[in-house]
Amino acid sequence: MALFRSAARIHGYVIPAPRFTRWALVYFLKFIVAPVLLLLLALDVALYFVFRDWLGSCYGILCFFG
């Protein structure tokens, strides 16, 4: 698999193989996971109000608490 290849030499310098770092995880969480979760949360809240007010039925887990 080419994802984890060994170190290469370029002009006599050893170039380390690419690797996942903590900063890569932070950027992934910040720019991928957080926006997707916020979008899904907004969609869930919007659907809750649509089902509750317009359709007169219960939607999601909030029905158990309401």
Side-chain angles (χ1 to χ4, degrees):
M1 182 175 199
L3 184 62
F4 298 107
R5 65 179 190 261
S6 62
R9 288 189 158 270
I10 299 177
H11 295 287
Y13 294 102
V14 175
I15 307 298
R19 58 189 164 87
F20 294 109
T21 61
R22 289 186 195 129
W23 282 112
L25 177 64
V26 168
Y27 287 139
F28 178 73
L29 292 174
K30 182 178 179 180
F31 293 112
I32 303 295
V33 174
V36 169
L37 285 178
L38 289 175
L39 179 69
L40 291 175
L41 176 66
L43 182 65
D44 190 48
V45 169
L47 283 175
Y48 170 75
F49 286 115
V50 165
F51 272 78
R52 188 188 71 179
D53 295 336
W54 292 348
L55 301 177
S57 65
C58 197
Y59 174 79
I61 198 163
L62 293 175
C63 297
F64 294 124
F65 301 118

